[in-house]
């Protein structure tokens, strides 16, 4: 469908991307590109924190035909809504980690309050025919706030993280309120079929909803289109970064930093969902089971800090530092450091080169919505001599990327054996697996993800809500 006659797109996300500070190729860039193409608005938090509500002002800036409408959070909102409910309650529960979830009544209230404030401000700027696309778990209740203000526009939502089965979801305080608010969206998108099925199960079993057609749910008098839209990357830009002359130089450097090596790469935000301690333990198990690789195999783990104000995040940092010290102490030698642990952000160009220079991409989250690192690793490989992706069965990406070596990240022996299998895999098998993976990554790239979601939102036969 041509996009010229399409309605104005209003993207809403917790954090609005700063157009001047985006690394090329990220998901935010893809969204921005599409906004620039069709014109639109990006609405959300600007990252600033003010003392109290009196300090909240809505700011409007323009770049080409995109308007950025942003506002700050108060200190209290930041602590109770963002850190408290979003990142210490919803994030762990939606990743099946009830053991790490922390709940307080104040935090739940703050989530309501901030969603309501977003709805209030957004309602003021919405034109009659705009379509709204909200992103992620911070904004589940936004649609209900808009509907209660009489907004009848088409509203879409995409969840970037997993959606757990009903038995797990009910651990969220006031989950009934939350789910009743959720179903005011017209289109709800998930990363995987499993997430979609979990959501529909909750709606049908706990809310008297019913499936009225494939992917169409009637619940509480709303008709909701519920589908899967797996997130992807910009394959060509990543592949180009990985094979440019500068990348070649970096790869030569990587290979020169020691004798012939098996380079294993891990790249993740330092988040407990990414399974980093288990990964380090698996690597230790690999060195125990296959001592012939001592002095040859190195795990480079790049893990930039994130959400450090939440306790579970500082805990994991300490655990990882202790583990990498232990492994290096136990196995390392004056000419070999088994684990190289880099706790900071790295430019995307460097990441691309590191992926290409590594024989194994180790992507072993305990639970992940999709995991774009797995796709970036595939895109960065030399098709004539590709590395092997070792991928957790609990990453959304595993639904699609079946030609990877699929592992159980909780089982150190399983992961250790997969590393060994990757090392000895014949080139022909690596090429065959890589070609199949690359085709899948290409087919489901960032542009197709956006395009298919927007098509569903633009053109779905759902009547506008009354
Ligand atoms: P994240 O949990 O952030 O995203 P992921 O999909 O792996 O996880 O994306 C991380 C991105 O950050 C990748 O593009 C990666 O290259 C980049 N990155 C990681 N470490 C970096 C470093 N040290 N320096 C620079 N860049 C780094 C959430 C969900 C995922 C889902 C995405 C998109 O948790 O499951 O895939 O959203 O929907």
């Amino acid at each position: 469908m041509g996009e010229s006659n399409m309605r104005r797109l209003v993207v809403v996300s917790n954090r609005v991307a700063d157009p001047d500070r985006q690394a090329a190729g990220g998901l935010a860039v893809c969204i921005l590109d599409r906004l620039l193409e069709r014109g639109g608005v990006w609405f959300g938090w600007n990252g600033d924190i003010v003392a109290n509500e009196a300090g909240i002002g809505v700011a409007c800036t323009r770049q080409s035909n995109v308007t950025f409408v942003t506002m700050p959070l108060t200190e209290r909102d930041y602590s109770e809504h963002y850190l408290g409910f979003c990142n210490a309650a919803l994030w762990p529960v939606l990743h099946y980690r009830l053991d790490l979830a922390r709940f307080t009544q104040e935090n739940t209230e703050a989530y309501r309050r901030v969603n309501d404030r977003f709805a209030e401000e957004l309602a003021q700027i919405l034109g009659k025919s705009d379509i709204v696309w909200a992103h992620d778990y911070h904004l589940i209740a936004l649609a209900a706030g808009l509907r209660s203000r009489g907004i009848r526009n088409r509203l879409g939502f995409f969840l970037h993280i997993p959606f757990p089965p009903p038995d797990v979801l009910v651990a969220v305080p006031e989950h009934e309120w939350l789910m009743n608010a959720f179903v005011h969206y017209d289109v709800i998108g998930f990363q995987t079929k499993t997430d979609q099925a979990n959501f529909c199960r909750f709606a049908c079993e706990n809310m008297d909803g019913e499936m009225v057609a494939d992917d169409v749910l009637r619940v509480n008098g709303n008709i909701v289109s519920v589908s899967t839209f797996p997130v992807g990357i910009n394959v060509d830009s990543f592949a180009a970064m990985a094979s440019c002359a500068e990348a070649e130089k970096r790869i030569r450097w990587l290979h020169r930093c020691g004798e012939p090596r098996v380079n294993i790469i891990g790249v993740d935000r330092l988040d407990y969902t990414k399974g980093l301690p288990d990964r380090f333990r698996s690597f230790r198990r690999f060195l125990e089971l296959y001592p012939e690789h001592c002095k040859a195999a190195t795990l480079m783990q790049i893990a930039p800090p994130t959400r450090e104000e939440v306790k579970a995040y500082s805990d994991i940092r300490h655990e990882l530092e202790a583990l990498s010290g232990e492994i290096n102490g136990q196995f390392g030698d004056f000419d070999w450091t088994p684990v190289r642990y880099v706790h900071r952000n790295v430019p995307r160009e460097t990441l691309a080169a590191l992926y290409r220079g590594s024989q194994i991409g180790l992507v072993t989250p305990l639970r992940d919505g999709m995991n774009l690192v797995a796709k970036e690793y595939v895109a960065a490989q030399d098709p004539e001599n590709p590395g092997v992706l070792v991928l957790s069965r609990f990453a959304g990406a595993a639904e699609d990327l079946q030609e990877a070596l699929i592992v159980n990240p909780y089982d150190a022996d399983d992961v250790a054996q997969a590393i060994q299998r990757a090392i000895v895999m014949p080139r022909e098998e690596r090429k065959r697996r890589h070609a199949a993976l690359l085709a899948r990554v290409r087919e489901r790239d960032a542009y197709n993800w956006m395009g298919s979601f927007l098509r569903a939102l633009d053109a779905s036969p759902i009547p506008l809500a009354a």
Side-chain angles (χ1 to χ4, degrees):
M1 185 189 299
E3 298 212 352
S4 52
N5 57 352
M6 282 187 179
R7 291 166 285 182
R8 185 173 75 150
L9 172 63
V10 178
V11 171
V12 190
S13 62
N14 173 59
R15 259 321 269 281
V16 172
D18 178 342
D20 300 325
R21 291 196 0 223
Q22 282 302 308
L27 206 56
V29 170
C30 177
I31 294 175
L32 186 59
D33 281 354
R34 188 55 79 96
L35 271 175
L36 284 165
E37 247 169 63
R38 69 185 266 169
V41 175
W42 198 329
F43 179 91
W45 177 33
N46 57 12
D48 291 343
I49 299 170
V50 294
N52 52 45
E53 297 201 358
I56 297 180
V58 176
C60 234
T61 55
R62 235 183 127 74
Q63 180 184 310
S64 171
N65 55 348
V66 181
T67 308
F68 294 85
V69 183
T70 58
M71 56 187 183
L73 291 179
T74 67
E75 279 169 14
R76 191 165 153 224
D77 294 338
Y78 178 72
S79 150
E80 296 177 352
H81 159 77
Y82 178 71
L83 296 176
F85 197 78
C86 293
N87 287 324
L90 279 182
W91 177 271
V93 174
L94 269 55
H95 285 89
Y96 301 58
R97 288 301 297 271
L98 302 188
D99 57 319
L100 295 176
R102 299 287 174 269
F103 307 131
T104 70
Q105 186 62 39
E106 290 79 10
N107 292 352
T108 314
E109 277 311 312
Y111 186 81
R112 264 187 223 271
R113 181 174 70 238
V114 173
N115 269 265
D116 205 55
R117 187 182 311 130
F118 268 47
E120 175 65 27
E121 297 299 340
L122 185 55
Q124 323 245 347
I125 60 162
L126 278 183
K128 240 185 160 54
S129 63
D130 291 348
I131 60 166
V132 175
W133 185 5
H135 289 259
D136 234 1
Y137 57 103
H138 319 83
L139 296 168
I140 290 173
L142 181 74
L146 291 170
R147 295 288 183 233
S148 74
R149 289 171 170 81
I151 296 296
R152 299 177 57 182
N153 301 52
R154 200 174 294 284
L155 306 178
F157 176 92
F158 182 78
L159 186 68
H160 290 256
I161 67 176
F163 193 89
D167 263 3
V168 175
L169 188 79
V170 294
V172 175
E174 304 199 32
H175 55 271
E176 282 163 355
W177 165 78
L178 191 69
M179 287 299 290
N180 284 324
F182 203 173
V183 297
H184 285 282
Y185 284 104
D186 299 300
V187 176
I188 298 180
F190 294 99
Q191 299 271 28
T192 68
K193 293 273 171 219
T194 306
D195 301 322
Q196 179 188 350
N198 286 337
F199 175 87
C200 291
R201 234 185 93 198
F202 191 99
C204 293
E205 292 174 9
N206 301 44
M207 302 169 75
D208 261 347
E210 61 172 327
M211 301 305 298
V212 290
D214 280 353
D215 299 344
V216 181
L217 181 69
R218 178 165 41 216
V219 56
N220 292 357
N222 302 297
I223 298 288
V224 191
S225 160
V226 183
S227 303
T228 302
F229 304 91
V231 153
I233 61 166
N234 184 343
V235 180
D236 290 330
S237 98
F238 220 85
M241 270 191 289
S243 56
C244 68
E246 193 54 34
E248 289 289 325
K249 251 195 345 220
R250 286 202 179 95
I251 294 166
R252 276 201 300 277
W253 169 85
L254 183 69
H255 290 171
R256 211 185 49 213
C257 280
E259 304 74 50
R261 293 257 186 249
V262 176
N263 290 300
I264 304 172
I265 182 93
V267 175
D268 312 74
R269 284 184 304 103
L270 185 45
D271 193 298
Y272 50 81
T273 60
K274 304 292 184 183
L276 298 177
D278 298 86
R279 186 178 308 168
F280 281 19
R281 283 190 283 268
S282 297
F283 182 64
R284 175 166 64 194
R285 187 70 182 132
F286 162 77
L287 295 175
E288 285 164 4
L289 288 177
Y290 306 98
E292 66 272 26
H293 296 302
C294 283
K295 295 221 172 190
T298 297
L299 171 61
M300 172 151 349
Q301 177 63 54
I302 299 180
T306 174
R307 303 176 197 165
E308 289 195 308
E309 298 101 315
V310 180
K311 184 170 178 305
Y313 288 76
S314 48
D315 289 351
I316 193 154
R317 178 179 175 176
H318 294 131
E319 190 180 358
L320 266 192
E321 282 165 0
L323 258 174
S324 58
E326 261 173 46
I327 298 172
N328 286 339
Q330 185 183 350
F331 292 93
D333 214 332
F334 63 90
D335 57 350
W336 174 53
T337 308
V339 177
R340 288 193 189 143
Y341 169 45
V342 180
H343 183 52
R344 62 178 147 74
N345 268 301
V346 167
R348 294 178 68 75
E349 292 75 10
T350 309
L351 279 187
L354 290 174
Y355 291 141
R356 193 174 176 104
S358 300
Q359 288 92 323
I360 299 174
L362 198 49
V363 181
T364 54
L366 302 179
R367 190 68 62 175
D368 218 333
M370 176 56 57
N371 195 299
L372 293 178
V373 170
K375 299 192 172 187
E376 291 168 357
Y377 180 76
V378 170
Q381 297 310 298
D382 173 1
E384 289 310 310
N385 187 18
V388 178
L389 176 65
V390 175
L391 178 62
S392 162
R393 65 171 59 253
F394 302 118
E399 202 166 85
D400 257 354
L401 302 184
Q402 282 293 313
E403 289 81 5
L405 297 184
I406 304 289
V407 294
N408 173 3
Y410 293 94
D411 181 348
D413 282 63
D414 188 35
V415 177
Q417 283 156 14
I419 294 173
Q420 171 66 4
R421 197 174 154 204
I423 292 173
V424 299
M425 189 180 285
R427 184 192 277 229
E428 276 318 303
E429 181 177 350
R430 284 190 278 121
K431 281 172 70 174
R432 186 162 40 74
R433 286 176 183 270
H434 175 259
L437 290 171
L438 186 60
R440 207 67 43 68
V441 171
R442 238 181 226 299
E443 196 182 303
R444 305 204 155 185
D445 69 358
Y447 289 92
N448 285 334
W449 168 68
M450 282 210 78
S452 56
F453 189 94
L454 289 175
R455 269 194 303 280
L457 195 53
D458 271 327
S460 92
I462 299 170
L464 291 175

